């Protein structure tokens, strides 16, 4: 959504990724797509027929991820893409302040386009990343930040330890401080139906990511 000159896995580079990193990149990409625009009917159908996620049931974050993934798959079964599109517009693109603000600056300062966005832009520049020319959302939109995390996961040009350190640094600096509040706002929004399940899944996924990135430190 927001990155320019970002690496995309090829058959050659994908083989260098561990299976869990392929899965992580896919889930970051999924969340970016669900939040950036109304989902395509093909995506809804793919989710409806997706396999279960077998996260570690021995930790609360793993159990929550499995259960929220099942709820998201169920929400896609027999879902009407047009109705979901209307819900997306009602939540995220209504006139004036949307029901659910998806920007980090809002949760950190109470305003849009504030200092956290400037800090994020500096970090993106250091990574060689920037917003696409045709993108209307700012870089601190959750969909955009998910897309950056996807890029950092698949960037096999970096050695493994360096790649993990970059993911941990970016997550701790630009997701951890506000993403739980954002996901909760989405999961409890008055007009959320399908997106309630998206918010709950996103919350569970980010909680597990925050734990896993530091377990491996």
């Amino acid at each position: 959504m927001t990155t320019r000159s970002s690496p995309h896995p090829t058959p050659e580079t994908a083989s260098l990724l561990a299976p869990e990193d392929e899965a992580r990149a896919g889930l970051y990409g999924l969340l970016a797509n669900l939040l950036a625009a109304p989902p395509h009917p093909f995506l809804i159908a793919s989710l409806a027929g997706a396999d279960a996620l077998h996260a570690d049931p021995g930790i609360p974050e793993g159990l929550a991820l499995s259960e929220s993934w099942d709820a998201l798959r169920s929400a896609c079964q027999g879902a009407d893409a047009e109705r979901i599109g209307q819900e997306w517009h009602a939540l995220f693109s209504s006139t004036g302040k949307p029901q659910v603000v998806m920007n980090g600056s809002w949760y950190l300062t109470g305003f849009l386009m504030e200092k956290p966005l400037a800090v994020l832009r500096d970090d993106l520049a250091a990574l060689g990343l920037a917003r696409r020319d045709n993108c209307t959302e700012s870089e601190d939109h959750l969909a955009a930040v998910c897309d950056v995390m996807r890029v950092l996961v698949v960037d096999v040009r970096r050695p493994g330890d360096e790649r993990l350190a970059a993911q941990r640094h970016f997550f701790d600096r630009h997701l951890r401080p506000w993403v739980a509040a954002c996901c909760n706002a989405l999961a409890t929004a008055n007009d959320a139906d399908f997106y309630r399940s998206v918010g709950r899944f996103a919350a569970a996924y980010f909680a597990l990511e925050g734990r896993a990135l530091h377990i491996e430190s």
Side-chain angles (χ1 to χ4, degrees):
M1 175 185 173
T2 63
T3 53
R4 206 168 47 225
S5 302
S6 58
H8 293 272
T10 64
E12 292 76 17
T13 60
S15 66
L16 301 176
L17 287 174
E20 58 268 26
D21 284 338
E22 289 188 59
R24 291 174 59 227
L27 291 177
Y28 274 119
L30 170 64
L31 288 171
N33 275 285
L34 288 171
L35 297 172
H40 191 278
F42 179 79
L43 177 58
I44 298 169
S46 296
L47 283 171
D51 293 333
L53 278 181
H54 300 292
D56 185 351
I59 59 173
E61 296 92 344
L63 181 60
L65 184 71
S66 297
E67 292 177 345
S68 61
W69 176 252
D70 287 343
L72 178 58
R73 292 191 301 154
S74 296
C76 290
Q77 293 166 5
D80 179 78
E82 182 177 355
R83 185 195 59 76
I84 292 176
Q86 292 170 349
E87 181 182 336
W88 185 93
H89 285 288
L91 291 171
F92 306 125
S93 69
S94 56
T95 303
K97 178 179 174 290
Q99 285 191 43
V100 185
V101 180
M102 303 302 292
N103 302 81
S105 287
W106 176 265
Y107 293 95
L108 295 173
T109 70
F111 300 94
L112 298 174
M113 309 294 287
E114 287 293 321
K115 184 176 179 180
L117 176 57
V119 173
L120 173 58
R121 285 173 172 166
D122 287 344
D123 285 354
L124 290 176
L127 291 167
L129 302 173
R131 184 171 64 177
R132 293 185 187 276
D133 293 336
N134 62 349
C135 181
T136 59
E137 296 289 353
S138 60
E139 293 89 336
D140 64 341
H141 190 285
L142 182 54
V145 181
C146 284
D147 195 38
V148 174
M149 282 297 298
R150 178 194 61 79
V151 169
L152 295 177
V153 171
V154 304
D155 189 5
V156 295
R157 299 172 299 182
R158 298 171 181 265
D161 289 347
E162 181 181 327
R163 189 165 72 247
L164 180 60
Q167 294 167 42
R168 185 184 301 122
H169 175 79
F170 191 88
F171 186 96
D172 286 348
R173 191 167 166 92
H174 300 298
L175 268 172
R176 189 187 293 274
W178 62 276
V179 73
C182 180
C183 292
N184 182 66
L186 180 56
T188 59
N190 289 336
D191 284 347
D193 182 11
F194 171 78
Y195 274 92
R196 180 170 291 112
S197 63
V198 174
R200 289 171 177 169
F201 173 72
Y205 179 62
F206 292 126
L208 185 60
E209 272 285 281
R211 176 188 176 97
L213 284 169
H214 285 275
I215 285 176
E216 302 202 21
S217 59

